[in-house]
Amino acid sequence: MGFLFVLIVGLVAGTISGIVGTGSSIMLMPVLVYQYGPKQAVPIMAVAAVMANLSRILAWWREVDWRACIAYSITGIPAAALGARTLLALPSHAVDIAIGVFLIAMVPVRHWLARHRLKANLWHLAIGGALIGYLTGIVASTGPLSVPLFLFYGLSKGAFLATEAASSLGLYVSKSVTFERFGALTPDIALKGLIAGASLMAGAFIAKRFVLQLKPELFRLIMDGIMLAAGTALLWSAMTQ
């Protein structure tokens, strides 16, 4: 029943993230932590995130901004590997707390970024890629940071979804390879990640028809609610271990 619940949440998370550009890791991570523990959940989510981003690229292939993708990835990929190595040195209890605090903190940060209406260029994407890449290696999802960065660059709808996914794909591949190299991504964990990722992929293709209909106000409410609920769940898990 627990595994079935992972698949159901994955399908819902994949659909929502396919609409708003992020949220799959935020929604699925607490379920994976509960089912498998934080040390297994993070590499499982890394594999699933590779598949989730791949599905968004396939759905919006023609709209990828490759210049933005390269600028972000060239610094983000090595930074994600460094962050993943940092994560493996942390105790499980600290992983839960770090992810939970990060998700809750992203709510006011996102509102601050939205109020200032910043503009980004390729250099900003490269700098953001390094910082966000390192955090991506440590926590389950940095979508609340990468989403406004690509929006400030001027992307929207299909172009935004495709470019953010293509840029994030390299980071999660780097993270997964690092886990495998240091023994944290065993065949059993990889299989769990592939199965969870399949549900995220299915949700992404379901979401494509709804992208043009989502109102910005609803997007903000959905993301705030998801981050607060997921962060609280992970902190509760850490306190009750």
Side-chain angles (χ1 to χ4, degrees), residues 17 24 45 47-57 165 197 200-201 204:
S17 67
S24 59
M45 191 64 247
V47 174
V50 169
M51 298 178 67
N53 284 298
L54 181 60
S55 65
R56 291 211 301 275
I57 296 170
L200 294 178
M201 290 187 77

Side-chain angles (χ1 to χ4, degrees), residues 76-101:
I77 289 174
L82 179 61
R85 184 66 188 96
T86 302
L87 171 68
L88 294 176
L90 297 174
S92 299
H93 181 75
V95 174
D96 271 352
I97 294 175
I99 298 173
V101 170

Side-chain angles (χ1 to χ4, degrees), residues 3 7 43-52 185 187-201:
F3 189 71
L7 291 176
I44 289 172
M45 191 64 247
V47 174
V50 169
M51 298 178 67
L185 185 60
D188 177 62
I189 291 176
L191 179 61
K192 292 173 182 175
L194 290 172
I195 295 173
S199 64
L200 294 178
M201 290 187 77

Side-chain angles (χ1 to χ4, degrees), residues 38-124:
K39 282 295 186 181
Q40 284 196 37
V42 174
I44 289 172
M45 191 64 247
V47 174
V50 169
M51 298 178 67
N53 284 298
L54 181 60
S55 65
R56 291 211 301 275
I57 296 170
L58 293 174
W60 300 97
W61 175 258
R62 297 181 182 277
E63 300 195 49
V64 177
D65 185 325
W66 291 109
R67 291 180 65 207
C69 177
I70 292 171
Y72 183 85
S73 302
I74 200 167
T75 55
I77 289 174
L82 179 61
R85 184 66 188 96
T86 302
L87 171 68
L88 294 176
L90 297 174
S92 299
H93 181 75
V95 174
D96 271 352
I97 294 175
I99 298 173
V101 170
F102 180 83
L103 293 177
I104 293 173
M106 283 305 96
V107 175
V109 169
R110 188 188 66 73
H111 282 276
W112 183 87
L113 291 171
R115 284 198 305 272
H116 285 74
R117 301 186 178 219
L118 305 176
K119 296 293 183 182
N121 56 34
L122 292 176
W123 283 106
H124 294 137

Side-chain angles (χ1 to χ4, degrees), residues 65-79 121-134 136 142-143 145-147 149-150 163-172:
D65 185 325
W66 291 109
R67 291 180 65 207
C69 177
I70 292 171
Y72 183 85
S73 302
I74 200 167
T75 55
I77 289 174
N121 56 34
L122 292 176
W123 283 106
H124 294 137
L125 290 179
I127 295 170
L131 297 175
I132 297 171
Y134 181 73
T136 300
T142 49
L145 286 177
S146 63
V147 165
L149 181 61
F150 284 99
T163 306
E164 196 278 335
S167 303
S168 297
L169 180 63
L171 272 60
Y172 282 107

